[in-house]
Amino acid sequence: MGKVVCDVAVSADGFSAGLNQCEERPFGDGDMGMLHSWMFDAPDENKAELAQITAAKAFIMGRNMFGPIRGGWHSDWNGWWGSNPPYHAPVFVLTNHPRASLPMEGGTTFHFVTDGIESALRQARQVAGDQDVAISGGASTINQYLTAGLIDELRLHITPFTLGVGTRIFDGVPPLKLEQVSSRAASTVTHITYRVIRP
Amino acid sequence: MGKVVCDVAVSADGFSAGLNQCEERPFGDGDMGMLHSWMFDAPDENKAELAQITAAKAFIMGRNMFGPIRGGWHSDWNGWWGSNPPYHAPVFVLTNHPRASLPMEGGTTFHFVTDGIESALRQARQVAGDQDVAISGGASTINQYLTAGLIDELRLHITPFTLGVGTRIFDGVPPLKLEQVSSRAASTVTHITYRVIRP
């Protein structure tokens, strides 16, 4: 069985998104470009970490990471990533509202899971086999999986600004012991990989 | 004029102390030994960072970092550090309760400042001259200085556990732009130095 991994870019104060997400601002209010500028401004320097983010063979994400729409599905919204999303594998979207699976170009198919995080993980594991499953975010989804003890490896990409408000990684999660597996400084980001130690 | 620097060991979720500080638990509840174990378990590996923490020529700390006593001074408490504290320089303690200066062995003298953070910094700068002044903590004191725009360099020592509750660095501080000056991984801690960018 593969690992359950989680990559998340955070501000120095631990936020992975601001408030008031909308279609124009997928990461909400605040200067959120800074959270991901290392990906776009210095892709060579951060090549290994970038490759890692989409290396899993199945992905799980929260409804808000899939889109800004709340409530029932009433549009043809098909994610933030255009016709060929970067996942190239099944993506299980946690939602309370059923929707038919949505195949995209390049091997990505969005499946909408209405029966909870454990069911989504079971389905993702089945697809991934002995490869990794990635919890893609956002913070609320990551925190639910951390609380349930279902993440093996957490990879924080810590960026040089603070946000002050928003959705924060670890919020509401009981205290965790971690093992620092690796830590690498790039010029504008620090990549830390933690193994979550089972109690 | 020297820099105003600040070293602080934090959990992966940004706490520098737990709740319920008392004489037996200077850092409050939780497994707080983990916050500073890199200092004691791997001093050689972290030699540069350890030296940096006490390199300033004047120090400022909050009342709770000086001791667990609340309210007026009613005991002969003289800090957590024994007769020869590691500062070897004047230490300005922020408090609402006047107290005579307290000279210790080795060059440390605790001065008790009752007229606010800017006064403490003025006095510390006067002593330090062209050398650095350090804001020693705790989080509440650091956050007041960050909010006032008075810290030049913030050095986070990020340790592998989460605490969930306590006093947290950046809490209540307006959004900051930072520059990652350096970042270094030791085996059980990541040291990140940020320059605070003036707006």
Side-chain angles (χ1 to χ4, degrees):
Chain A
M1 207 164 64
K3 292 193 298 272
V4 179
V5 302
C6 172
D7 280 272
V8 59
V10 293
S11 60
D13 55 344
F15 292 97
S16 69
L19 299 175
N20 305 313
Q21 181 195 48
C22 62
E23 190 168 343
E24 292 71 35
R25 296 188 303 281
F27 293 93
D29 295 340
D31 190 2
M32 301 308 290
M34 299 180 68
L35 210 52
H36 301 100
S37 60
W38 58 276
M39 299 183 179
F40 303 106
D41 299 346
D44 285 350
E45 191 193 13
N46 297 292
K47 199 190 289 190
E49 287 80 9
L50 285 168
Q52 203 181 47
I53 293 174
T54 51
K57 296 304 175 206
F59 298 83
I60 297 172
M61 65 177 59
R63 165 69 179 268
N64 296 1
M65 179 150 172
F66 177 70
I69 303 155
R70 305 294 182 262
W73 301 104
H74 53 75
S75 85
D76 54 358
W77 180 265
N78 57 8
W80 306 98
W81 304 275
S83 58
N84 188 348
Y87 300 103
H88 311 297
V91 177
F92 297 89
V93 179
L94 299 163
T95 170
N96 293 313
H97 302 277
R99 179 174 170 179
S101 292
L102 182 62
M104 307 291 289
E105 292 169 24
T108 298
T109 299
F110 294 109
H111 299 285
F112 299 87
V113 178
T114 56
D115 55 351
I117 65 168
E118 302 201 358
S119 167
L121 182 55
R122 212 157 36 234
Q123 296 178 58
R125 278 196 190 282
Q126 198 150 27
V127 169
D130 61 356
Q131 305 283 302
D132 292 349
V133 170
I135 310 298
S136 299
S140 161
T141 297
I142 295 169
N143 291 342
Q144 289 176 59
Y145 278 101
L146 282 172
T147 298
L150 296 173
I151 291 181
D152 298 308
E153 206 170 281
L154 183 62
R155 304 160 180 169
L156 301 183
H157 308 283
I158 305 175
T159 53
F161 75 112
T162 67
L163 191 60
V165 291
T167 56
R168 177 136 66 173
I169 191 81
F170 298 126
D171 258 12
V173 178
L176 299 172
K177 288 199 181 186
L178 306 168
E179 178 194 339
Q180 182 177 291
V181 175
S182 69
S183 173
R184 191 179 82 82
S187 51
T188 62
V189 59
T190 293
H191 308 286
I192 307 182
T193 295
Y194 291 117
R195 193 170 68 82
V196 182
I197 299 173
R198 298 270 171 272
Chain B
M1 205 162 65
K3 291 193 297 269
V4 179
V5 302
C6 172
D7 281 270
V8 58
V10 294
S11 60
D13 55 346
F15 292 96
S16 69
L19 299 175
N20 305 314
Q21 180 196 48
C22 61
E23 191 168 340
E24 293 69 37
R25 296 189 302 281
F27 292 93
D29 297 340
D31 190 2
M32 301 307 290
M34 299 179 67
L35 210 50
H36 301 100
S37 60
W38 58 277
M39 298 183 179
F40 304 107
D41 299 347
D44 284 351
E45 191 192 13
N46 297 291
K47 200 191 288 192
E49 288 80 10
L50 285 168
Q52 202 181 49
I53 293 174
T54 51
K57 295 306 174 205
F59 298 83
I60 296 171
M61 64 177 59
R63 165 68 178 268
N64 297 1
M65 178 149 174
F66 178 71
I69 303 156
R70 303 295 183 263
W73 302 104
H74 54 73
S75 85
D76 55 359
W77 180 266
N78 59 8
W80 306 98
W81 303 276
S83 57
N84 189 347
Y87 300 103
H88 312 297
V91 177
F92 297 89
V93 179
L94 300 162
T95 169
N96 292 314
H97 302 277
R99 180 174 169 181
S101 291
L102 181 62
M104 307 292 289
E105 292 168 25
T108 298
T109 298
F110 293 110
H111 298 287
F112 300 88
V113 178
T114 56
D115 56 350
I117 65 168
E118 302 202 359
S119 167
L121 182 55
R122 215 159 32 233
Q123 296 177 58
R125 277 195 191 282
Q126 199 151 27
V127 169
D130 61 356
Q131 305 283 301
D132 291 351
V133 170
I135 310 299
S136 299
S140 159
T141 297
I142 295 168
N143 291 342
Q144 288 175 58
Y145 278 100
L146 283 172
T147 298
L150 295 173
I151 292 180
D152 299 308
E153 206 171 280
L154 183 63
R155 303 160 180 168
L156 301 183
H157 308 283
I158 304 175
T159 54
F161 75 113
T162 68
L163 191 60
V165 291
T167 56
R168 176 135 67 171
I169 193 77
F170 299 124
D171 258 11
V173 178
L176 299 172
K177 288 199 180 183
L178 305 168
E179 179 194 338
Q180 182 177 291
V181 175
S182 69
S183 173
R184 192 180 80 81
S187 51
T188 62
V189 58
T190 293
H191 308 286
I192 306 182
T193 295
Y194 290 117
R195 192 169 69 82
V196 182
I197 299 174
R198 298 271 169 276

